[in-house]
Amino acid sequence: IILLVVLSSVESWQWLVFHNHRYAARCLLPFLWAAGTAGYLFAGIRLRSPRLRPAGLVVLAIAGILAALGYWFAVPGGYILLFNWRFIAALAPASMVFTHAAALRKFRSICEPNEQIVSEALYGIGIFLLIVLATSETRIWLIAHNYHYLARCVLPLLWVAGAASYLTAGLKLRTARLRDAGLAVLLVAALLSAYGYSLDIHRGYYLFLNGRFAATLAVILMAFAHAYTIRRLRNICSKNEQISAKMLYGIAIVLLFALLNVETYLYFSKTIADPEKARWITHTALSIVWGVYAAAILVIGFWRNARILRLSALALFGATALKLV
């Protein structure tokens, strides 16, 4: 198998480079090595060999390196986002990761017990590769077309989708490690969305109706969704995860309050030319946000019978009154 992979790679590379098709050559090589991985996996299952299947993972790692090298070189101009051979070639090793993981779980009677752990790790690696690949492809294309603001808004959404994928896979495979990995990915999404607030955007944007706020709100909503899912599926999730879900609820509530304050402050302080008028309107708007948020928490506290939410709402009402004074 390795001889066929190397022979076809060398033959294809030499022919394509000879005809001045270097871009096509860089896109074709990951496909050939991913096909070699499929050959090792099929042979390892067919021959019931625990040595051939791991050898396929080594070949798959080489395919991933070749796909990554394709992003070090420029591509022909006018290519389409997500619909170009460089991205499709990089998808081949990532798809093979999922195929390998699914095959190990499907043929449990043939595979070794430790290969089930490998299958779980491959699912996690595959999701991470898709996130990084989509992030790199999207960022390169948007920056090349001078969509810098759009790039700062879209990238956190990709990592939020990755966090949702980890949560779904962790529930489907009944493994807490993948669900915890989803929280780590969500943290990266939070950092990317926070970075969007470190840079100014164009004047004339709408309060709460802009891409920067939507991206950050998606991160917080994903945190709520993660906590809600863990609390809902108690038969799958452990007691430690139930405690972590409560903490995640609290963190999400605080982050949402901070987001509303930052968005309100930046909007009124940046869009009003008169400094004195801007300061007065900004503080008035913040007081309204505090009062509305406290009322919302109080309603939810009574609805969910959560004493800590009711006490938090009363404390925020008190802070709002002091601020008004």
Side-chain angles (χ1 to χ4, degrees), residues 10-277:
V10 173
E11 175 73 8
S12 301
W13 176 266
Q14 289 182 344
W15 190 88
L16 290 171
V17 171
F18 179 77
H19 289 81
N20 202 26
H21 299 310
R22 292 184 176 272
Y23 173 66
R26 291 195 300 268
C27 296
L28 180 61
L29 291 186
F31 278 109
L32 297 175
W33 284 81
T37 303
Y40 271 108
L41 179 61
F42 177 79
I45 294 175
R46 182 73 175 175
L47 303 177
R48 296 175 178 265
S49 170
R51 289 181 288 272
L52 286 177
R53 294 189 293 269
L57 294 177
V58 177
V59 175
L60 184 57
I62 297 174
I65 293 173
L66 292 173
L69 289 176
Y71 276 84
W72 285 96
F73 303 96
V75 298
Y79 73 101
I80 303 175
L81 175 65
L82 303 181
F83 292 95
N84 58 84
W85 286 111
R86 181 179 66 177
F87 179 75
I88 296 174
L91 274 180
S95 301
M96 197 60 224
V97 170
F98 288 107
T99 303
H100 197 110
L104 292 180
R105 293 188 65 84
K106 183 175 179 61
F107 298 99
R108 296 183 184 182
S109 58
I110 297 176
C111 302
E112 300 291 328
N114 59 352
E115 286 186 288
Q116 299 307 311
I117 302 176
V118 174
S119 174
E120 177 184 323
L122 286 176
Y123 274 114
I125 293 171
I127 295 173
F128 184 76
L129 289 177
L130 287 180
I131 297 171
V132 173
L133 177 59
T135 301
S136 301
E137 174 76 8
T138 305
R139 183 181 183 278
I140 291 173
W141 191 87
L142 290 175
I143 296 300
H145 290 78
N146 291 321
Y147 296 134
H148 297 274
Y149 171 67
L150 183 59
R152 294 198 302 268
C153 298
V154 172
L155 296 188
L157 297 178
L158 296 176
W159 285 81
V160 168
S165 300
Y166 271 110
L167 177 61
T168 303
L171 295 173
K172 183 72 173 179
L173 302 178
R174 294 177 178 266
T175 170
R177 286 184 286 266
L178 288 179
R179 296 192 291 268
D180 294 338
L183 292 178
V185 171
L186 188 59
L187 177 61
V188 177
L191 295 176
L192 290 174
S193 62
Y195 174 70
Y197 271 90
S198 65
L199 304 173
D200 290 334
I201 62 176
H202 59 84
R203 292 183 177 272
Y205 71 100
Y206 295 101
L207 178 65
F208 303 141
L209 297 176
N210 57 83
R212 182 176 66 177
F213 178 80
T216 310
L217 183 62
V219 175
I220 298 174
L221 292 179
M222 186 59 218
F224 279 116
H226 189 106
Y228 175 80
T229 305
I230 297 299
R231 297 283 296 171
R232 187 80 172 177
L233 302 176
R234 300 186 181 184
N235 58 328
I236 297 177
C237 305
S238 63
K239 291 183 178 180
N240 290 333
E241 286 185 287
Q242 300 297 319
I243 299 173
S244 300
K246 289 183 178 181
M247 296 176 59
L248 189 59
Y249 268 130
I251 293 172
I253 291 172
V254 173
L255 289 178
L256 180 58
F257 180 66
L259 173 63
L260 295 174
N261 278 271
V262 171
E263 175 74 9
T264 303
Y265 177 82
L266 291 178
Y267 177 79
F268 287 106
S269 61
K270 297 289 185 180
T271 57
I272 300 176
D274 186 3
E276 185 63 26
K277 184 179 180 181

